[in-house]
Amino acid sequence: MAHKCHLCLLGLIALSSHLTGSSGEDETHVFISSGENVRLPCNNALHDCKSTTWNCNRHSAAVELIARGIIMKHIESHERLSLGSDCSLNIRNISKEDYGSYSCRQYENDKQQGTDSRVFLHVLHVSSSQTEISAGRSMTLSCLLYSYAVVSCGDWIRSERIELFWVNQAGVKLRRSDSRYQISAPGHCISSLTTTLLNEDHNREWRCNVTQSDQVKTSVTYTVKSSAWIVSMN
């Protein structure tokens, strides 16, 4: 399993906020929605990327993705990886399995130089429990933030002032008091939206947002398509 990391629960625009860890490592948090492309910065890059190694850690299983500037071909999703000119790690078409802790490490003459530049990648994903959707049917959408956190999800969300919530097409936050919607939080990093679809819901959008200190970090839109009631993810 370690060699398959899937690139390392807790997505539109990747935004980051820089923090300093107690270990002295440089830390960055990046929020992204599934299906998007993301750039993970390497803040300790030297004169060229031949000294750069990228590792991924998920569930305490460390996997080497890039060694001395070379992509490891045995990694299952290596075709989605590339190295930027500034030694940043680029990942295309992010999936929920890509969440995790990534570290950029520098070597010279086989000796590590300085401390790691660490990036925590948080992936937002929305799914529906229904395979057939039509007017009159009940639909439940689940919005999950996949994140690699040292503390529990609940503690991390509270300490970093993270919030998951739903908005309608006009960007208005949906409230639990609205009789048309049933909004619940089965876990600290998940928010569920249940509603009975109406005829006018053709092409209607519902969006799940993630904010930190009231600033939107990323979001995922779920659209009910017209014609055959086909659902698409954006």
Side-chain angles (χ1 to χ4, degrees):
M1 181 66 181
H3 72 283
K4 292 184 177 179
C5 183
H6 300 296
L7 298 177
C8 314
L9 209 195
L10 290 172
L12 312 176
I13 302 173
L15 297 173
S16 63
S17 60
H18 295 272
L19 302 172
T20 300
S22 59
S23 64
E25 291 181 344
D26 175 71
E27 292 185 0
T28 302
H29 289 255
V30 174
F31 295 79
I32 191 72
S33 61
S34 56
E36 297 294 309
N37 302 329
V38 71
R39 169 188 171 275
L40 306 184
C42 178
N43 297 323
N44 61 355
L46 299 179
H47 46 82
D48 64 53
C49 298
K50 292 181 180 179
S51 61
T52 297
T53 291
W54 275 97
N55 295 307
C56 167
N57 193 302
R58 184 186 179 202
H59 299 309
S60 300
V63 176
E64 195 172 55
L65 305 177
I66 293 179
R68 311 300 202 277
I70 299 174
I71 297 173
M72 298 290 94
K73 299 299 184 181
H74 66 277
I75 300 299
E76 183 174 323
S77 303
H78 71 272
E79 294 182 350
R80 295 193 290 121
L81 295 177
S82 63
L83 201 60
S85 59
D86 58 356
C87 307
S88 57
L89 177 63
N90 301 313
I91 309 174
R92 298 187 301 276
N93 192 23
I94 285 290
S95 72
K96 60 186 181 182
E97 288 81 12
D98 291 329
Y99 81 91
S101 170
Y102 294 74
S103 61
C104 185
R105 183 172 296 174
Q106 303 301 316
Y107 289 94
E108 281 193 342
N109 299 321
D110 293 326
K111 292 184 179 181
Q112 182 177 346
Q113 304 298 306
T115 58
D116 290 350
S117 174
R118 197 174 187 188
V119 183
F120 291 95
L121 180 60
H122 312 279
V123 180
L124 187 69
H125 180 74
V126 168
S127 62
S128 171
S129 61
Q130 284 73 24
T131 56
E132 295 183 8
I133 296 178
S134 61
R137 286 179 176 266
S138 176
M139 178 184 70
T140 297
L141 302 178
S142 296
C143 180
L144 291 89
L145 182 64
Y146 291 82
S147 184
Y148 184 95
V150 176
V151 295
S152 70
C153 177
D155 291 339
W156 178 75
I157 275 190
R158 286 190 292 269
S159 65
E160 298 298 328
R161 298 180 62 191
I162 305 290
E163 183 183 8
L164 280 73
F165 59 90
W166 294 91
V167 299
N168 61 20
Q169 290 187 137
V172 177
K173 186 175 181 179
L174 300 182
R175 305 287 181 179
R176 295 189 181 188
S177 58
D178 190 324
S179 60
R180 192 192 165 187
Y181 303 104
Q182 292 81 53
I183 299 174
S184 62
H188 295 289
C189 293
I190 179 173
S191 180
S192 295
L193 170 68
T194 300
T195 188
T196 298
L197 292 171
L198 307 175
N199 286 324
E200 55 266 32
D201 286 333
H202 292 287
N203 288 321
R204 188 179 299 277
E205 296 179 350
W206 285 279
R207 182 183 300 274
C208 179
N209 285 354
V210 172
T211 61
Q212 182 175 29
S213 299
D214 298 323
Q215 178 184 3
V216 176
K217 289 297 183 179
T218 192
S219 59
V220 177
T221 300
Y222 196 97
T223 305
V224 179
K225 289 295 185 182
S226 57
S227 66
W229 284 89
I230 299 172
V231 176
S232 71
M233 293 285 297
N234 294 310

